[in-house]
Amino acid sequence: AQTVTQSQPEMSVQEAETVTLSCTYDTSESDYYLFWYKQPPSRQMILVIRQEAYKQQNATENRFSVNFQKAAKSFSLKISDSQLGDAAMYFCAYRSAWYSGGGADGLTFGKGTHLIIQP
Amino acid sequence: DGGITQSPKYLFRKEGQNVTLSCEQNLNHDAMYWYRQDPGQGLRLIYYSQIVNDFQKGDIAEGYSVSREKKESFPLTVTSAQKNPTAFYLCASSIGQGRDSGANVLTFGAGSRLTVL
């Protein structure tokens, strides 16, 4: 079974600064997807960014980018020019690329990092 | 607009009662999921369904039951056998697996908060 670890329960950053959230995972699979989801105080889960393991290039979405290190099984999220609206819980998640029926489908989540933005 | 609707948003239950949480999607997604969220625990998978009339247990299925009679609907029943049901419950759906840009992404509803009195 896959596991996802987020070692930072809470992070704080000044508005307009850059912050990096860490995520490591454990898997024996070679083909999979990785995600960062954001959960603001409304508790609505919002997709931030998606990375395909077979692609070397790191995914980017505006101010959000990832550093995907497949050999190290590391998937960190960098938020540039932090804004007050970025304050939320951030969850790293893993999904197998092809469901073989031998294991559960769906996403495996880390326990989350609470990001605080200081004005 | 397409999306996932969960109801009720807040639910209170007395011990020993069964309750059913509703999840409806109009995204034409094949797969649907139920997750439970507890403070400091992240999200844990309860049940999932990849097609109508079929569903599979996730990591924490004990004390829960589901049905998938229609593609759009995936209700979750929290039974009296669930020892600690107070939690936030999230329903999600997915177009399925593949190499398309939208594949593999889970879209979530707004959640239901269940409190046992």
Side-chain angles (χ1 to χ4, degrees), chain A residues 59-91:
Chain A
T60 62
E61 286 289 341
N62 301 314
R63 297 182 295 107
F64 299 87
S65 61
V66 299
N67 183 4
F68 172 49
Q69 301 289 330
K70 191 172 183 180
K73 296 179 183 174
S74 171
F75 183 60
S76 61
L77 174 70
K78 185 172 83 170
I79 305 174
S80 303
D81 185 25
S82 298
Q83 300 175 1
L84 293 177
D86 295 334
M89 284 292 291
Y90 285 81
F91 292 96

Side-chain angles (χ1 to χ4, degrees), chain B:
Chain B
D1 288 338
I4 300 176
T5 301
Q6 288 188 241
S7 62
K9 189 170 184 178
Y10 299 98
L11 185 60
F12 298 89
R13 188 194 95 173
K14 293 182 181 179
E15 286 197 27
Q17 286 182 334
N18 292 354
V19 293
T20 297
L21 307 181
S22 171
C23 178
E24 303 278 334
Q25 56 102 355
N26 60 2
L27 298 167
N28 199 32
H29 285 175
D30 288 316
M32 297 187 74
Y33 311 83
W34 274 105
Y35 284 88
R36 170 179 171 143
Q37 185 176 20
D38 297 283
Q41 291 293 323
L43 280 71
R44 293 180 290 168
L45 183 64
I46 305 172
Y47 267 98
Y48 65 97
S49 168
Q50 298 223 309
I51 55 172
V52 175
N53 293 322
D54 186 57
F55 48 83
Q56 304 295 331
K57 292 181 180 180
D59 300 319
I60 55 165
E62 185 176 351
Y64 299 97
S65 66
V66 293
S67 63
R68 186 87 187 275
E69 297 176 1
K70 299 187 300 181
K71 186 175 184 178
E72 302 79 16
S73 179
F74 191 42
L76 174 74
T77 297
V78 185
T79 74
S80 56
Q82 169 50 234
K83 292 183 172 57
N84 185 20
T86 293
F88 188 64
Y89 292 87
L90 284 157
C91 179
S93 70
S94 170
I95 197 170
Q97 300 218 355
R99 294 301 190 200
D100 293 341
S101 60
N104 298 289
V105 173
L106 266 62
T107 300
F108 286 84
S112 294
R113 172 73 184 175
L114 173 62
T115 302
V116 173
L117 302 174

Side-chain angles (χ1 to χ4, degrees), chain A residues 38-46, chain B residues 4 88 90 107-111:
Chain A
K38 168 184 175 180
Q39 188 179 44
S42 68
R43 305 200 76 172
Q44 175 73 55
M45 293 288 284
I46 302 165
Chain B
I4 300 176
F88 188 64
L90 284 157
T107 300
F108 286 84

Side-chain angles (χ1 to χ4, degrees), chain A residues 25 30-37 47-61 64-70 74-77 92-97 107, chain B residues 98-101 103-105:
Chain A
Y25 58 95
S30 60
D31 200 5
Y32 49 86
Y33 294 85
L34 296 165
F35 305 86
W36 280 97
Y37 277 86
L47 176 68
V48 175
I49 202 163
R50 169 182 178 268
Q51 174 77 43
E52 294 142 312
Y54 67 92
K55 288 187 175 178
Q56 300 280 352
Q57 188 173 6
N58 289 324
T60 62
E61 286 289 341
F64 299 87
S65 61
V66 299
N67 183 4
F68 172 49
Q69 301 289 330
K70 191 172 183 180
S74 171
F75 183 60
S76 61
L77 174 70
C92 178
Y94 173 104
R95 184 176 188 179
S96 299
L107 298 178
Chain B
R99 294 301 190 200
D100 293 341
S101 60
N104 298 289
V105 173

